[in-house]
Amino acid sequence: MEIRISDKYFILTPLTPKIDASYCERLFSEVNENYSFEIGIDLSCVNDCTIEFLETLKLYNKVSLFNIPSNIFVLINIMNIDKFVKIFVSESDFKSGKRRILNRHFSVV
């Protein structure tokens, strides 16, 4: 896991292709220790995740995600986790707070 800390940002980059329950526990223990920063998780190296990771994301409303692979992005949208965490396209968007990805669930009437 790569950890980068700057002025007000704490960025975690999991270097594993799959986030399982044990890695999820390790990841969010780092988040708990640095909860005073704006926390971002870069998922560019991750290809798969377990339900534990997705359920744990619901508990942390201060965590932001970026560089999300499409298969994980679909799971996040289907499970409505995008209502609990902020989702950005890239790290620069996360740092600037712009271009947040929103799922509005429009329907035709």
Side-chain angles (χ1 to χ4, degrees):
M1 176 176 2
E2 179 183 343
I3 299 172
R4 290 179 283 151
I5 301 174
S6 64
D7 301 334
K8 60 179 183 173
Y9 301 107
F10 183 77
I11 298 174
L12 294 163
T13 306
L15 299 175
T16 182
K18 182 176 182 179
I19 298 180
D20 57 358
S22 63
Y23 199 87
C24 177
E25 183 179 317
R26 194 171 132 216
L27 182 72
F28 284 100
S29 70
E30 290 289 336
V31 168
N32 284 333
E33 291 175 10
N34 298 288
Y35 210 67
S36 60
F37 293 98
E38 287 188 43
I39 301 166
I41 300 176
D42 181 3
L43 297 177
S44 59
C45 298
V46 179
N47 296 326
D48 191 19
C49 64
T50 59
I51 191 70
E52 289 85 4
F53 175 69
L54 297 172
E55 290 295 327
T56 307
L57 278 175
K58 289 183 179 180
L59 303 175
Y60 293 90
N61 59 354
K62 194 175 177 180
V63 173
S64 299
L65 301 175
F66 53 91
N67 294 333
I68 305 170
S70 60
N71 55 351
I72 297 175
F73 183 69
V74 169
L75 289 173
I76 288 171
N77 282 329
I78 289 173
M79 295 179 66
N80 290 326
I81 295 173
D82 58 330
K83 306 300 181 218
F84 301 101
V85 297
K86 295 178 184 174
I87 300 173
F88 295 96
V89 175
S90 65
E91 183 178 340
S92 61
D93 293 340
F94 163 67
K95 287 183 175 180
S96 66
K98 297 181 180 177
R99 295 197 316 175
R100 182 176 169 195
I101 299 173
L102 299 174
N103 185 2
R104 305 242 167 135
H105 296 289
F106 289 120
S107 61
V108 178
V109 179

Short mmCIF file of all heavy atoms in Angstrom, two decimals, residues 26-61:
data_model
loop_
_atom_site.label_atom_id
_atom_site.label_comp_id
_atom_site.label_asym_id
_atom_site.label_seq_id
_atom_site.Cartn_x
_atom_site.Cartn_y
_atom_site.Cartn_z
N ARG A 26 -6.84 -3.63 6.98
CA ARG A 26 -5.58 -2.89 7.03
C ARG A 26 -5.74 -1.49 6.43
O ARG A 26 -5.22 -0.51 6.96
CB ARG A 26 -4.51 -3.67 6.27
CG ARG A 26 -3.14 -3.21 6.52
CD ARG A 26 -2.13 -4.18 5.90
NE ARG A 26 -1.19 -3.38 5.18
CZ ARG A 26 -0.61 -3.70 4.06
NH1 ARG A 26 -0.87 -4.85 3.49
NH2 ARG A 26 0.23 -2.90 3.48
N LEU A 27 -6.46 -1.40 5.33
CA LEU A 27 -6.68 -0.13 4.65
C LEU A 27 -7.45 0.85 5.53
O LEU A 27 -7.04 2.00 5.70
CB LEU A 27 -7.44 -0.38 3.34
CG LEU A 27 -7.74 0.79 2.45
CD1 LEU A 27 -6.46 1.27 1.77
CD2 LEU A 27 -8.76 0.41 1.40
N PHE A 28 -8.52 0.38 6.14
CA PHE A 28 -9.35 1.28 6.94
C PHE A 28 -8.78 1.53 8.33
O PHE A 28 -9.20 2.47 9.00
CB PHE A 28 -10.79 0.79 6.97
CG PHE A 28 -11.50 1.08 5.69
CD1 PHE A 28 -11.67 0.10 4.73
CD2 PHE A 28 -11.96 2.36 5.41
CE1 PHE A 28 -12.30 0.38 3.54
CE2 PHE A 28 -12.59 2.65 4.22
CZ PHE A 28 -12.76 1.65 3.27
N SER A 29 -7.83 0.74 8.77
CA SER A 29 -7.11 1.11 10.01
C SER A 29 -6.24 2.33 9.76
O SER A 29 -6.10 3.19 10.63
CB SER A 29 -6.29 -0.07 10.53
OG SER A 29 -5.20 -0.33 9.68
N GLU A 30 -5.66 2.43 8.55
CA GLU A 30 -4.91 3.64 8.18
C GLU A 30 -5.84 4.84 8.08
O GLU A 30 -5.48 5.95 8.46
CB GLU A 30 -4.20 3.43 6.84
CG GLU A 30 -3.04 2.47 6.89
CD GLU A 30 -1.84 3.02 7.64
OE1 GLU A 30 -1.69 4.25 7.75
OE2 GLU A 30 -1.06 2.19 8.14
N VAL A 31 -7.04 4.62 7.55
CA VAL A 31 -8.02 5.71 7.44
C VAL A 31 -8.40 6.21 8.83
O VAL A 31 -8.48 7.42 9.07
CB VAL A 31 -9.26 5.22 6.66
CG1 VAL A 31 -10.40 6.22 6.77
CG2 VAL A 31 -8.92 4.96 5.20
N ASN A 32 -8.62 5.31 9.78
CA ASN A 32 -9.00 5.70 11.14
C ASN A 32 -7.91 6.52 11.81
O ASN A 32 -8.21 7.45 12.56
CB ASN A 32 -9.31 4.47 11.98
CG ASN A 32 -10.65 3.88 11.65
OD1 ASN A 32 -11.55 4.56 11.20
ND2 ASN A 32 -10.78 2.58 11.86
N GLU A 33 -6.66 6.18 11.56
CA GLU A 33 -5.55 6.91 12.19
C GLU A 33 -5.40 8.32 11.64
O GLU A 33 -4.87 9.19 12.32
CB GLU A 33 -4.25 6.15 11.99
CG GLU A 33 -4.18 4.84 12.75
CD GLU A 33 -2.92 4.05 12.42
OE1 GLU A 33 -2.02 4.60 11.77
OE2 GLU A 33 -2.85 2.88 12.84
N ASN A 34 -5.83 8.56 10.42
CA ASN A 34 -5.63 9.86 9.77
C ASN A 34 -6.95 10.49 9.37
O ASN A 34 -7.06 11.08 8.29
CB ASN A 34 -4.74 9.66 8.53
CG ASN A 34 -3.39 9.13 8.90
OD1 ASN A 34 -2.58 9.85 9.47
ND2 ASN A 34 -3.15 7.87 8.60
N TYR A 35 -7.94 10.42 10.21
CA TYR A 35 -9.28 10.88 9.87
C TYR A 35 -9.39 12.40 9.84
O TYR A 35 -10.38 12.94 9.39
CB TYR A 35 -10.31 10.28 10.83
CG TYR A 35 -11.67 10.09 10.21
CD1 TYR A 35 -11.85 9.17 9.20
CD2 TYR A 35 -12.76 10.84 10.62
CE1 TYR A 35 -13.09 8.99 8.61
CE2 TYR A 35 -14.01 10.67 10.03
CZ TYR A 35 -14.16 9.74 9.03
OH TYR A 35 -15.39 9.58 8.44
N SER A 36 -8.37 13.13 10.29
CA SER A 36 -8.41 14.59 10.28
C SER A 36 -8.11 15.15 8.89
O SER A 36 -8.40 16.31 8.62
CB SER A 36 -7.43 15.15 11.30
OG SER A 36 -6.12 14.73 10.98
N PHE A 37 -7.51 14.36 8.01
CA PHE A 37 -7.21 14.77 6.64
C PHE A 37 -8.41 14.51 5.72
O PHE A 37 -9.32 13.79 6.08
CB PHE A 37 -6.01 13.98 6.08
CG PHE A 37 -4.71 14.27 6.75
CD1 PHE A 37 -4.23 13.43 7.75
CD2 PHE A 37 -3.95 15.36 6.39
CE1 PHE A 37 -3.03 13.68 8.37
CE2 PHE A 37 -2.74 15.62 7.00
CZ PHE A 37 -2.27 14.79 7.99
N GLU A 38 -8.35 15.08 4.51
CA GLU A 38 -9.27 14.67 3.46
C GLU A 38 -8.71 13.40 2.86
O GLU A 38 -7.59 13.38 2.35
CB GLU A 38 -9.41 15.76 2.40
CG GLU A 38 -10.20 16.95 2.87
CD GLU A 38 -10.47 17.92 1.73
OE1 GLU A 38 -10.81 17.46 0.63
OE2 GLU A 38 -10.31 19.11 1.96
N ILE A 39 -9.45 12.31 2.93
CA ILE A 39 -8.94 10.99 2.60
C ILE A 39 -9.41 10.58 1.21
O ILE A 39 -10.60 10.63 0.91
CB ILE A 39 -9.41 9.96 3.64
CG1 ILE A 39 -8.90 10.37 5.02
CG2 ILE A 39 -8.93 8.57 3.27
CD1 ILE A 39 -9.54 9.66 6.16
N GLY A 40 -8.44 10.17 0.39
CA GLY A 40 -8.74 9.69 -0.94
C GLY A 40 -8.13 8.32 -1.16
O GLY A 40 -7.01 8.07 -0.73
N ILE A 41 -8.86 7.43 -1.81
CA ILE A 41 -8.36 6.09 -2.12
C ILE A 41 -8.28 5.97 -3.64
O ILE A 41 -9.28 6.11 -4.34
CB ILE A 41 -9.26 4.99 -1.54
CG1 ILE A 41 -9.34 5.12 -0.01
CG2 ILE A 41 -8.74 3.61 -1.92
CD1 ILE A 41 -10.28 4.14 0.65
N ASP A 42 -7.07 5.73 -4.13
CA ASP A 42 -6.80 5.58 -5.55
C ASP A 42 -6.92 4.11 -5.91
O ASP A 42 -6.13 3.29 -5.45
CB ASP A 42 -5.40 6.11 -5.86
CG ASP A 42 -5.04 6.01 -7.32
OD1 ASP A 42 -5.89 5.58 -8.14
OD2 ASP A 42 -3.90 6.37 -7.66
N LEU A 43 -7.92 3.76 -6.70
CA LEU A 43 -8.17 2.36 -7.04
C LEU A 43 -7.62 1.98 -8.42
O LEU A 43 -8.11 1.04 -9.04
CB LEU A 43 -9.67 2.07 -6.98
CG LEU A 43 -10.32 2.21 -5.61
CD1 LEU A 43 -11.82 1.96 -5.71
CD2 LEU A 43 -9.70 1.25 -4.62
N SER A 44 -6.60 2.67 -8.89
CA SER A 44 -6.07 2.41 -10.22
C SER A 44 -5.42 1.03 -10.36
O SER A 44 -5.43 0.45 -11.44
CB SER A 44 -5.08 3.49 -10.63
OG SER A 44 -4.00 3.54 -9.72
N CYS A 45 -4.88 0.47 -9.30
CA CYS A 45 -4.22 -0.85 -9.36
C CYS A 45 -5.16 -2.00 -9.02
O CYS A 45 -4.80 -3.16 -9.16
CB CYS A 45 -3.04 -0.88 -8.41
SG CYS A 45 -1.74 0.30 -8.80
N VAL A 46 -6.37 -1.69 -8.57
CA VAL A 46 -7.30 -2.71 -8.11
C VAL A 46 -8.19 -3.18 -9.26
O VAL A 46 -8.72 -2.36 -10.01
CB VAL A 46 -8.17 -2.16 -6.96
CG1 VAL A 46 -9.17 -3.19 -6.48
CG2 VAL A 46 -7.29 -1.69 -5.82
N ASN A 47 -8.36 -4.49 -9.40
CA ASN A 47 -9.24 -5.05 -10.42
C ASN A 47 -10.49 -5.67 -9.84
O ASN A 47 -11.48 -5.85 -10.55
CB ASN A 47 -8.50 -6.12 -11.23
CG ASN A 47 -7.36 -5.54 -12.01
OD1 ASN A 47 -7.42 -4.42 -12.48
ND2 ASN A 47 -6.29 -6.31 -12.13
N ASP A 48 -10.46 -6.03 -8.55
CA ASP A 48 -11.58 -6.74 -7.93
C ASP A 48 -11.62 -6.38 -6.46
O ASP A 48 -10.60 -6.04 -5.85
CB ASP A 48 -11.39 -8.25 -8.12
CG ASP A 48 -12.62 -9.04 -7.76
OD1 ASP A 48 -13.72 -8.46 -7.70
OD2 ASP A 48 -12.48 -10.25 -7.52
N CYS A 49 -12.81 -6.47 -5.87
CA CYS A 49 -12.95 -6.24 -4.44
C CYS A 49 -14.05 -7.14 -3.90
O CYS A 49 -14.90 -7.61 -4.64
CB CYS A 49 -13.25 -4.77 -4.15
SG CYS A 49 -14.81 -4.21 -4.81
N THR A 50 -14.02 -7.37 -2.60
CA THR A 50 -15.02 -8.21 -1.95
C THR A 50 -16.12 -7.34 -1.36
O THR A 50 -16.00 -6.12 -1.29
CB THR A 50 -14.37 -9.07 -0.84
OG1 THR A 50 -13.77 -8.19 0.11
CG2 THR A 50 -13.33 -10.02 -1.42
N ILE A 51 -17.16 -7.99 -0.91
CA ILE A 51 -18.30 -7.28 -0.32
C ILE A 51 -17.90 -6.55 0.96
O ILE A 51 -18.48 -5.51 1.30
CB ILE A 51 -19.48 -8.25 -0.09
CG1 ILE A 51 -20.77 -7.50 0.27
CG2 ILE A 51 -19.15 -9.27 0.98
CD1 ILE A 51 -21.34 -6.73 -0.87
N GLU A 52 -16.90 -7.04 1.67
CA GLU A 52 -16.45 -6.38 2.90
C GLU A 52 -15.95 -4.97 2.62
O GLU A 52 -16.22 -4.04 3.38
CB GLU A 52 -15.34 -7.19 3.60
CG GLU A 52 -15.80 -8.47 4.24
CD GLU A 52 -15.84 -9.64 3.27
OE1 GLU A 52 -15.44 -9.47 2.09
OE2 GLU A 52 -16.31 -10.72 3.67
N PHE A 53 -15.22 -4.81 1.52
CA PHE A 53 -14.73 -3.48 1.15
C PHE A 53 -15.90 -2.55 0.85
O PHE A 53 -15.94 -1.41 1.31
CB PHE A 53 -13.80 -3.59 -0.05
CG PHE A 53 -13.34 -2.26 -0.58
CD1 PHE A 53 -12.48 -1.47 0.15
CD2 PHE A 53 -13.77 -1.81 -1.82
CE1 PHE A 53 -12.05 -0.23 -0.34
CE2 PHE A 53 -13.36 -0.59 -2.32
CZ PHE A 53 -12.49 0.20 -1.57
N LEU A 54 -16.85 -3.02 0.09
CA LEU A 54 -17.99 -2.19 -0.28
C LEU A 54 -18.85 -1.83 0.92
O LEU A 54 -19.33 -0.70 1.05
CB LEU A 54 -18.82 -2.90 -1.35
CG LEU A 54 -18.11 -3.15 -2.67
CD1 LEU A 54 -18.95 -4.03 -3.57
CD2 LEU A 54 -17.74 -1.86 -3.35
N GLU A 55 -19.06 -2.78 1.82
CA GLU A 55 -19.86 -2.51 3.03
C GLU A 55 -19.12 -1.57 3.98
O GLU A 55 -19.74 -0.74 4.64
CB GLU A 55 -20.21 -3.82 3.75
CG GLU A 55 -21.21 -4.67 3.00
CD GLU A 55 -22.58 -4.03 2.89
OE1 GLU A 55 -22.99 -3.30 3.80
OE2 GLU A 55 -23.24 -4.26 1.87
N THR A 56 -17.81 -1.68 4.05
CA THR A 56 -17.03 -0.80 4.92
C THR A 56 -17.03 0.62 4.40
O THR A 56 -17.00 1.57 5.19
CB THR A 56 -15.58 -1.33 5.06
OG1 THR A 56 -15.62 -2.69 5.46
CG2 THR A 56 -14.80 -0.55 6.10
N LEU A 57 -17.07 0.79 3.09
CA LEU A 57 -17.13 2.14 2.51
C LEU A 57 -18.36 2.90 2.99
O LEU A 57 -18.32 4.13 3.15
CB LEU A 57 -17.15 2.07 0.99
CG LEU A 57 -15.83 1.90 0.28
CD1 LEU A 57 -16.05 1.72 -1.20
CD2 LEU A 57 -14.91 3.07 0.55
N LYS A 58 -19.45 2.20 3.23
CA LYS A 58 -20.68 2.85 3.70
C LYS A 58 -20.50 3.51 5.07
O LYS A 58 -21.20 4.46 5.39
CB LYS A 58 -21.82 1.84 3.78
CG LYS A 58 -22.32 1.39 2.45
CD LYS A 58 -23.50 0.44 2.65
CE LYS A 58 -24.06 -0.04 1.35
NZ LYS A 58 -25.19 -0.95 1.55
N LEU A 59 -19.57 3.00 5.85
CA LEU A 59 -19.36 3.52 7.21
C LEU A 59 -18.53 4.80 7.24
O LEU A 59 -18.52 5.51 8.24
CB LEU A 59 -18.69 2.45 8.07
CG LEU A 59 -19.42 1.12 8.17
CD1 LEU A 59 -18.57 0.13 8.95
CD2 LEU A 59 -20.78 1.29 8.81
N TYR A 60 -17.79 5.08 6.16
CA TYR A 60 -16.87 6.21 6.13
C TYR A 60 -17.34 7.23 5.12
O TYR A 60 -17.07 7.12 3.94
CB TYR A 60 -15.45 5.73 5.78
CG TYR A 60 -14.84 4.87 6.83
CD1 TYR A 60 -15.00 3.49 6.81
CD2 TYR A 60 -14.11 5.43 7.87
CE1 TYR A 60 -14.44 2.70 7.80
CE2 TYR A 60 -13.55 4.65 8.86
CZ TYR A 60 -13.73 3.28 8.81
OH TYR A 60 -13.18 2.50 9.79
N ASN A 61 -18.04 8.26 5.58
CA ASN A 61 -18.57 9.26 4.67
C ASN A 61 -17.54 10.31 4.28
O ASN A 61 -17.80 11.13 3.41
CB ASN A 61 -19.81 9.93 5.25
CG ASN A 61 -19.53 10.61 6.56
OD1 ASN A 61 -18.45 10.50 7.11
ND2 ASN A 61 -20.52 11.31 7.08
#
